[in-house]
Amino acid sequence: MITYPNQPPKQPEKSIFKEGMQRTDSALGLWMTHDPAIYKDPATNNYYIYCTGAICQRSKDLVSWEMVGKVVDVPPVESSEWVGGTDIWAPDIVKVGDEYRLYCSNSTWGVQQSCIFLAVADNAEGPFIPRGCVLKTSDKLPVNAIDANIITDVATGEMYMLYGSFWGGCHVLRLDKETGLAAEEGIGTCVARRPMWMSGGIEGPYMIYNPDTEYYYLFVSYASLKSDYNVRVGRSKSPLGPFVDYNGRDLTDLNDADNTIGFLNFCGYRWSEGTPYMAPGHNSVLHDTDGSWYIVAHIREKNFTDDPEPSTMQIRKIFWSPDGWPLVSAEPYSGEQEQPITAEDIAGRYERINLVPSLPQGIQTAVPMKLRSDGYYECCSVQGRWEYIGDNRIKITYGPNTDICIVSAVWDHECNRPTLALTGLSDSGIGMWAKRLGDLQKKQVFK
C-alpha cells in the first residue's frame, strides 16, 4: 500500500495583492517570496527562508510557512551611500560558531553600483545588525556585487563567498572566517559566465558539497528572471572550479551557440492541466539532517506579457542519478515520504516533460506516455520497453536511448490528487519528468 501525501495548504488568490506589490504580511502565503535562501537552524530544528526585502519565514515541515518578518532594518551607511539606496536583496545565511551571519545585497535595478554587506545575530530570527561591507562594485569593474552565497572548502576549511550577476559572471571570493569579511583583494575567481549576446544572463549562484559524490555542485540561473530563467548545474572537485556539466563543458565557456552549456535541471513547464509556470531560478539547496535533499526557487505563473508577474516559491525534492547528478522532482514537495513502490504499482498512463535546453529557454510542454504492465513503453510515436530495476527505479529503453527514472509518491498540484511521479535522466544528459494520470485505485488496461 502506497502512502500518498496530503493536499498541501493552498495559497491565497493573487488578487489580494495585485495592485499593491509590496505587501509582506502572512496573508500572502508564499507569494512575493523572491530569491529564497533555505536554512535549517540546528538550535531549533526550524526551517527558514530568507528572501529579497530581508524577509524571513519559518516552517516546521517545509510545507506550511509563517511570517517572521523583516530581519535587517537598513544596510550600513557605507553601503547605502555607495549604492544610493537602501534596498536589500537576496540574503544568504551561514552559522559560524554561535554567530549567525546574513550576507545581503544592496543595489538598485540594472546597475553595477552595488554592495554585499554582512549582518550578524545570535539567533536565526535576528534582528541582524550590519557589521560591514564585504565587496563593493561599480561599472569600473567587470562584476556586480549581488547574490551572495557562502561555501566552505571541506579539505582546507577556507570559507568563500560566491556572488555575481550578468556582466562578468559569477565569482568566488575568499573570506576571513573570523570576521566574515573579505580576506583577499580584487574580485576573486570566475566560475561561470554567459555570452554577451545572451545579455550575459547568469546570476543567483549557489554552491553545495555532496559528501557521497565528493563533488561541489554549482547551481546558477541563466537568462531573465522575468521570462526565461532556468537553473543549470556544473560540478567540480574544488569550490574554485572548474565547474563542468554532464558533457564536460566548462561553465565559463562563452562558445555556447545553442544554449546547451550547463546541465539543465529546472525550467518553465506546462502539464496538460493546471497552471503553467515560467522562470524558475535564484535557487538554494538544502541537505537535510535526515539525508534528504531539496531545491528551493522562486517561480512565476506563465505570463509572457509586459505586465509584471509576481513570484512565488516552490520546494522540490532532489534525487541523485547513479552517476551523481542532481535531479529535481516532477512535483513540488508536499511532505511525501520515501517508501517501496513495486512494478505493478507503476504501470499506467502518464504524461511526460523533457527538460531540453532551448534558445531561448521556453516552456516545456507535456506529451502522453504509457507504461504497460507487460513492459511496453510508448510516448507519442516512440516505442520501447521499460523494466523495474529495484530501489524505486525503472529503466526505459527506446532505440539507442536509455532513461533511468526514480519513482515517488507525490501530490499532483495541477489535478489536486495523489499520484506517482518519475524523475529521470537520459544517457545523453537530458532530464525528464512524468506523472501518472487517472484513478490510481483502478488497473490501467491497454490494447
Side-chain angles (χ1 to χ4, degrees):
M1 175 68 70
I2 300 173
T3 302
Y4 291 97
N6 295 320
Q7 183 173 4
K10 291 186 177 181
Q11 287 205 71
E13 296 294 328
K14 284 195 295 181
S15 59
I16 68 169
F17 64 90
K18 191 71 173 180
E19 295 180 0
M21 302 282 280
Q22 301 302 314
R23 285 183 58 179
T24 59
D25 57 85
S26 59
L28 286 177
L30 299 180
W31 288 113
M32 306 306 292
T33 301
H34 196 76
D35 305 331
I38 184 69
Y39 177 69
K40 187 174 186 179
D41 181 20
T44 63
N45 282 327
N46 288 331
Y47 300 95
Y48 290 95
I49 289 291
Y50 303 86
C51 67
T52 283
I55 302 301
C56 176
Q57 297 185 62
R58 175 179 59 225
S59 176
K60 288 289 188 184
D61 57 8
L62 294 174
V63 177
S64 299
W65 293 86
E66 59 180 332
M67 185 66 66
V68 174
K70 191 176 179 69
V71 293
V72 183
D73 187 17
V74 292
V77 173
E78 179 187 359
S79 178
S80 57
E81 288 184 348
W82 175 261
V83 170
T86 59
D87 288 348
I88 299 175
W89 298 349
D92 186 55
I93 191 169
V94 64
K95 189 172 186 282
V96 180
D98 293 329
E99 185 173 72
Y100 294 78
R101 297 176 177 175
L102 199 66
Y103 288 81
C104 304
S105 304
N106 178 203
S107 187
T108 56
W109 182 256
V111 302
Q112 290 171 267
Q113 193 81 11
S114 305
C115 179
I116 294 172
F117 69 90
L118 170 61
V120 300
D122 61 5
N123 69 89
E125 298 184 11
F128 289 83
I129 307 302
R131 170 174 290 170
C133 295
V134 184
L135 179 66
K136 295 189 293 186
T137 57
S138 69
D139 57 10
K140 295 180 180 179
L141 294 173
V143 293
N144 190 21
I146 65 170
D147 296 355
N149 168 240
I150 310 303
I151 184 73
T152 297
D153 188 322
V154 297
T156 67
E158 291 280 7
M159 183 172 283
Y160 295 92
M161 181 180 76
L162 185 66
Y163 74 95
S165 174
F166 285 69
W167 289 284
C170 300
H171 287 64
V172 174
L173 184 72
R174 186 165 57 89
L175 298 179
D176 183 323
K177 197 166 184 177
E178 293 301 315
T179 66
L181 302 177
E184 62 177 318
E185 299 291 332
I187 61 175
T189 303
C190 182
V191 289
R193 57 184 180 167
R194 304 294 292 137
M196 289 311 297
W197 65 267
M198 293 181 177
S199 306
I202 187 170
E203 60 185 6
Y206 196 93
M207 194 186 302
I208 195 162
Y209 179 75
N210 185 340
D212 293 328
T213 65
E214 299 183 340
Y215 278 104
Y216 296 86
Y217 291 84
L218 174 59
F219 294 74
V220 288
S221 296
Y222 279 13
S224 169
L225 62 85
K226 297 181 179 179
S227 57
D228 54 348
Y229 238 14
N230 59 103
V231 178
R232 308 281 179 117
V233 181
R235 69 184 185 184
S236 173
K237 290 293 185 176
S238 165
L240 299 179
F243 287 88
V244 299
D245 66 13
Y246 185 92
N247 294 306
R249 302 284 301 276
D250 192 321
L251 267 58
T252 63
D253 188 351
L254 296 180
N255 183 21
D256 190 15
D258 54 2
N259 195 31
T260 56
I261 291 180
F263 170 55
L264 174 65
N265 76 343
F266 200 5
C267 64
Y269 64 92
R270 180 171 199 154
W271 297 105
S272 296
E273 297 184 56
T275 301
Y277 284 91
M278 66 181 189
H282 201 116
N283 74 280
S284 57
V285 176
L286 173 68
H287 186 194
D288 208 347
T289 49
D290 66 356
S292 299
W293 292 79
Y294 302 89
I295 187 170
V296 183
H298 71 243
I299 195 167
R300 303 173 193 272
E301 294 185 356
K302 178 177 174 289
N303 176 13
F304 293 133
T305 72
D306 292 332
D307 294 330
E309 182 62 37
S311 59
T312 185
M313 185 179 79
Q314 286 186 358
I315 298 176
R316 294 174 182 245
K317 273 200 165 186
I318 290 177
F319 304 102
W320 292 90
S321 72
D323 51 355
W325 289 97
L327 308 178
V328 175
S329 174
E331 283 285 340
Y333 178 67
S334 298
E336 55 264 26
Q337 301 297 313
E338 293 188 16
Q339 58 191 296
I341 298 174
T342 69
E344 184 179 16
D345 296 324
I346 295 167
R349 294 185 302 112
Y350 288 75
E351 56 181 351
R352 172 175 174 148
I353 292 176
N354 287 341
L355 305 178
V356 181
S358 60
L359 185 66
Q361 190 61 54
I363 301 295
Q364 303 299 298
T365 301
V367 295
M369 185 185 100
K370 64 176 70 170
L371 302 176
R372 212 163 61 187
S373 58
D374 63 0
Y376 172 76
Y377 166 81
E378 181 180 294
C379 185
C380 296
S381 61
V382 175
Q383 299 178 347
R385 305 291 298 176
W386 75 276
E387 62 177 309
Y388 186 80
I389 57 176
D391 195 26
N392 286 10
R393 294 173 186 261
I394 67 169
K395 179 170 70 172
I396 303 173
T397 55
Y398 44 101
N401 305 292
T402 300
D403 302 333
I404 302 296
C405 306
I406 298 98
V407 188
S408 56
V410 300
W411 183 264
D412 186 330
H413 287 247
E414 290 72 36
C415 299
N416 292 316
R417 63 190 177 203
T419 193
L420 293 181
L422 308 181
T423 302
L425 182 65
S426 75
D427 51 9
S428 59
I430 301 298
M432 61 82 74
W433 294 339
K435 65 177 181 179
R436 186 168 166 175
L437 305 175
D439 187 346
L440 296 176
Q441 305 305 315
K442 295 179 180 178
K443 296 286 185 181
Q444 302 293 324
V445 179
F446 301 110
K447 295 181 180 180

